[in-house]
Amino acid sequence: MTRTPRHSFARLALVGLMATALFSACSAAAPSISSAPASQAAASAAAPSEAAHKPVTITVGVLRPGATQEAADALNLQVSQFEAKYPWITVNPEEYNWTAPTFTAALAAGTLPDVFTIPFTDGKGLIAQHQIVNLDSRMRALPYVDKFNKNVLVNGQDADGKIWAVPTQAYGMSLTYNRTLFTQAGLDPDKPPTTWDEVKAAAKTIAEKTGQAGFAEMATENTGGWQLTTATYARGGRMESVGSDGKVTSTVNNPATKDALQYLHDLRWGDNSMGSTFDYAWGSINQAFAAGQIGIFTGGSDLYTAMVQNNGLKAADYGVTTIPLASDPNAGVLGGGTLAAVNVNTTEEQRDAAVDFIDFYYMNKLLTQEGAVADAQALKANNQPVGVPALPIFDKATYDESQTWIKDYINVPTAQMTSFTSKIFDQPIVTEPTAHTQDLYAALDPVVQAVLTDKNANIDTLLTAADKQIQTILDKP
């Protein structure tokens, strides 16, 4: 069966968060999505009986716009395996990726797929408004619910602990750096920066020696506020506080945030280390990095996959290490991730099928050797990354065991990731601001932009205004 994706979104700039905007200047042709015939072995392995179920069709948003044909082929294979196990369910993949500027409109218009993903930061708001389906009874019928990392699962739960959205991946923020530019600048790519002062020095050297941006910062589509929060956490600050009465107070005007902005100001205006582009979002900064135009930037630890699939990243260029943390006892790594949710405009049969798909596509590869190997084989057969570092959705022991299952299929440059993987589990992970997260990020975008484009920008004045704006939002019912 040929699967032609319904384009719910235009080709936008990719955001990751986790995950977060789609890149806007993709020149690749849209990949065709068509399921190959399932093997007899896979068909015979189908556990449930087809005769006991009515045929049902679901749409799933699992292919990023601009993804390569190889990425689509890997998805096709996985969809075929799913349909072999659940022969009464037809899966229609769609191009989809969450973006802050478009998600709300798509939600209101009812154009989202039946199964779609959202960042952790959107979970609580959508749950409170009942804009996604309550999946609690369906999820608790599965045998592994108690194995979820409770600090991760909570992002998809309501105040009573009911599960409305399912965590599919988690990440810790990191420093992504270009090993080739490090070498060209006379820096050792196997010894990435471990302090913010070392980041600053490396950025200046890269800019002077290569002519490329030594350091770059996201600043648009809510990513400026997201990265400013990352830098604030790393210095021990917080963007919100919650009182004993539950009242949330904006704290964006704090010493750590001021220090982070002054740091950007010095990189931009003092060292001239940031190039000439100051309106990056998630997708565009990935694209520029993969093109060899950026030496260092902060982003999720899981970026390798997106940059290979969408930006033609050369493996030799990629390096990742942990975010430098200040000596402040509150310093920590901003953590985030992705939730799978189900559209409220679905039938009960479609909701059953949606949970079957979430279980098969997202969970099975994390929990069982059979699922992990099948996923790795499908990805590797289509030249997709296997073994990109991630934070565990379930307990760390389960994650470590899953890595042994796929060790023969890992095709990413793990030696270039050890600066991250060897340290991240020892770093404290701090969740994103919980109240009106995207509104807070949106209010901080102009602050970051002003610091990068106006040499005389007054950081105190900017943060005072942003603090007031955010508090007004927080005080609304």
Side-chain angles (χ1 to χ4, degrees), residues 107 116 122-135 157-160 162 164 341-346 351:
L107 179 70
F116 57 91
D122 270 25
K124 298 297 186 184
L126 294 173
I127 291 169
Q129 298 298 323
H130 290 195
Q131 291 175 301
I132 55 177
V133 175
N134 184 335
L135 304 177
Q157 292 177 294
D158 64 16
D160 297 323
K162 301 295 185 184
W164 292 67
V342 176
N343 196 323
V344 293
N345 299 317
T346 49
R351 295 173 185 184

Side-chain angles (χ1 to χ4, degrees), residues 24-354:
S24 58
C26 172
S27 59
S32 61
I33 310 174
S34 59
S35 293
S39 67
Q40 286 186 334
S44 65
S49 168
E50 181 178 7
H53 297 83
K54 294 180 180 179
V56 60
T57 298
I58 58 172
T59 57
V60 297
V62 290
L63 190 71
R64 290 187 179 96
T68 64
Q69 183 60 52
E70 289 176 326
D73 291 341
L75 172 61
N76 291 336
L77 179 56
Q78 291 164 311
V79 168
S80 294
Q81 292 167 343
F82 173 81
E83 291 181 336
K85 183 176 181 179
Y86 299 96
W88 63 91
I89 302 175
T90 298
V91 174
N92 289 329
E94 294 184 356
E95 288 188 353
Y96 166 84
N97 202 81
W98 180 94
T99 72
T102 59
F103 178 79
T104 301
L107 179 70
T111 57
L112 291 169
D114 297 328
V115 178
F116 57 91
T117 54
I118 53 175
F120 282 0
T121 53
D122 270 25
K124 298 297 186 184
L126 294 173
I127 291 169
Q129 298 298 323
H130 290 195
Q131 291 175 301
I132 55 177
V133 175
N134 184 335
L135 304 177
D136 193 71
S137 61
R138 291 176 170 90
M139 287 302 302
R140 294 193 185 279
L142 300 171
Y144 51 77
V145 171
D146 291 339
K147 296 189 70 173
F148 273 108
N149 180 338
K150 291 180 175 56
N151 292 328
V152 171
L153 182 61
V154 70
N155 293 282
Q157 292 177 294
D158 64 16
D160 297 323
K162 301 295 185 184
I163 302 170
W164 292 67
V166 185
T168 63
Q169 62 181 16
Y171 65 85
M173 297 304 288
S174 65
L175 284 182
T176 300
Y177 68 99
N178 190 301
R179 292 173 59 88
T180 300
L181 289 181
F182 264 60
T183 300
Q184 291 174 359
L187 302 171
D188 187 345
D190 293 325
K191 295 180 180 179
T194 59
T195 68
W196 289 111
D197 285 344
E198 290 179 3
V199 171
K200 190 171 185 285
K204 184 176 182 180
T205 300
I206 290 168
E208 291 175 348
K209 299 287 188 180
T210 71
Q212 303 296 342
F215 187 91
E217 180 82 349
M218 301 180 217
T220 61
E221 299 180 10
N222 298 12
T223 61
W226 177 42
Q227 292 309 300
L228 183 58
T229 301
T230 295
T232 296
Y233 282 10
R235 290 164 170 81
R238 296 293 184 270
M239 297 304 205
E240 294 176 347
S241 66
V242 183
S244 58
D245 59 355
K247 177 178 172 58
V248 182
T249 300
S250 171
T251 59
V252 300
N253 192 3
N254 67 78
T257 303
K258 292 179 184 178
D259 184 67
L261 289 168
Q262 187 62 50
Y263 183 84
L264 290 175
H265 182 277
D266 293 347
L267 281 167
R268 164 71 172 102
W269 300 104
D271 294 349
N272 193 27
S273 298
M274 298 188 69
S276 58
T277 302
F278 308 109
D279 60 351
Y280 284 122
W282 189 86
S284 55
I285 205 168
N286 289 349
Q287 189 175 34
F289 178 87
Q293 298 167 2
I294 295 171
I296 308 169
F297 75 100
T298 56
S301 57
D302 55 351
L303 289 177
Y304 184 85
T305 298
M307 287 196 283
V308 167
Q309 290 182 341
N310 295 81
N311 307 118
L313 175 71
K314 300 179 182 70
D317 290 350
Y318 183 82
V320 63
T321 189
T322 47
I323 288 273
L325 298 184
S327 58
D328 189 298
N330 292 317
V333 178
L334 183 147
T338 303
L339 299 165
V342 176
N343 196 323
V344 293
N345 299 317
T346 49
T347 65
E348 292 299 317
E349 291 78 12
Q350 286 177 314
R351 295 173 185 184
D352 290 339

